[in-house]
Amino acid sequence: MVLQRNNHRRPHPKGIIFDCDGTLADTMPLHWRAWQLITKRHGLALAKERFYSLGGVPARDILKLLITEQGVPLDPVAVAREKEAEYLPLIAQVEPINIVVGVARENYGKIPLAVASGGTRKIIEQVLDHLGIRSLFQAIVTSEDVVNQKPAPDIFLEAARRLGVPPQFCRAYEDTDLGMRAIRAAGMEAVDVRELLVKSA
C-alpha cells in the first residue's frame, strides 16, 4: 500500500509546462494595481477577489465581461492596451516564485519546458527576461496563440505540441482554479502552486 500512497502523482514527466503570472512570477499584486487604475478611469467595477479568480484570463476578455455586465460603452481591446501600458513599468518590481522557478531550473536540459500564459507575448517575455529565466523554456505560448482561453485546454495542448510531448506525459503548474481546470481538460498532471506555497511556508 505504501507504494500507492502518491499514485496521483505521475512519475517522470516527459515535458513540464508552467503558467507565468502567479506561478513562475509574483505578478498578480502588480497586475491588480494596474487594473485599479484602469477600472477607476473608465468607471468599471472589479472586486479584488474576482480579479484573482480570473487569473489566466486575458485582459481583453475580462474587459468584455465587465463591459457587457455593466453596460459601459468601451472598446475592450483599446482599454486592454491601456492596462498593459500601466503594467509595463511595474515589471521591474516583479519577483520570482522561487519554489516553481526552482523546478524549472532543476529540469532544464533534462526534459523540454514551456510556458503557457493568458498574458500577451510582449508582457510575458519581458517578465521572463527580467527574471533571467527566458532561456529555460523551449516554447512560450500566450493568449495570442490560441482562440479558446483557459479554462479551455487549448493553450496547454499547444504548448505540449510545440514541445513534441503527448499531453498525457506532461506535468503542468498553475495557481488558479481556471488554470487547473484547463490542465486537467488537456489530460495532463496538474500541480497547484498554491498548495506548494502553503507547504513551503
Side-chain angles (χ1 to χ4, degrees):
M1 294 300 292
V2 173
L3 293 174
Q4 298 181 10
R5 183 174 55 190
N6 293 318
N7 63 358
H8 63 285
R9 187 85 168 191
R10 304 176 200 171
H12 310 304
K14 296 181 180 179
I16 303 180
I17 302 168
F18 301 86
D19 172 50
C20 184
D21 293 309
T23 297
L24 288 165
D26 188 14
T27 55
M28 295 302 281
L30 301 174
H31 277 294
W32 172 236
R33 279 167 57 183
W35 272 107
Q36 286 178 290
L37 290 169
I38 290 301
T39 52
K40 183 177 181 181
R41 181 182 301 164
H42 293 287
L44 293 167
L46 176 62
K48 187 175 184 179
E49 296 74 18
R50 190 178 192 194
F51 159 71
Y52 275 93
S53 75
L54 291 168
V57 178
R60 66 174 186 270
D61 292 351
I62 294 174
L63 284 159
K64 286 176 188 174
L65 186 66
L66 298 179
I67 288 165
T68 300
E69 289 175 350
Q70 299 171 35
V72 182
L74 295 169
D75 177 348
V77 175
V79 180
R81 288 198 197 101
E82 287 184 44
K83 186 265 168 182
E84 185 174 277
E86 294 292 349
Y87 174 69
L88 277 169
L90 303 178
I91 290 176
Q93 301 176 42
V94 173
E95 296 289 336
I97 296 180
N98 288 314
I99 193 168
V100 183
V101 170
V103 172
R105 291 193 185 281
E106 288 164 17
N107 286 280
Y108 174 65
K110 300 175 184 175
I111 58 175
L113 310 176
V115 171
S117 171
T120 63
R121 179 167 298 277
K122 177 182 176 181
I123 293 284
I124 296 307
E125 291 195 341
Q126 285 195 42
V127 168
L128 297 175
D129 283 337
H130 166 70
L131 296 178
I133 59 174
R134 170 66 182 85
S135 61
L136 300 180
F137 304 103
Q138 184 176 320
I140 296 176
V141 184
T142 70
S143 60
E144 296 156 303
D145 297 312
V146 296
V147 174
N148 301 308
Q149 308 296 330
K150 302 172 187 178
D154 302 38
I155 201 163
F156 288 102
L157 292 172
E158 177 62 15
R161 187 190 70 78
R162 294 187 187 186
L163 292 181
V165 179
Q168 66 268 30
F169 298 120
C170 290
R171 178 180 294 163
Y173 288 73
E174 262 283 3
D175 67 303
T176 66
D177 292 342
L178 289 177
M180 294 293 286
R181 282 168 55 194
I183 295 169
R184 292 184 178 121
M188 301 178 183
E189 177 191 354
V191 180
D192 192 329
V193 172
R194 295 168 295 188
E195 293 180 6
L196 296 182
L197 292 171
V198 168
K199 289 175 184 175
S200 67

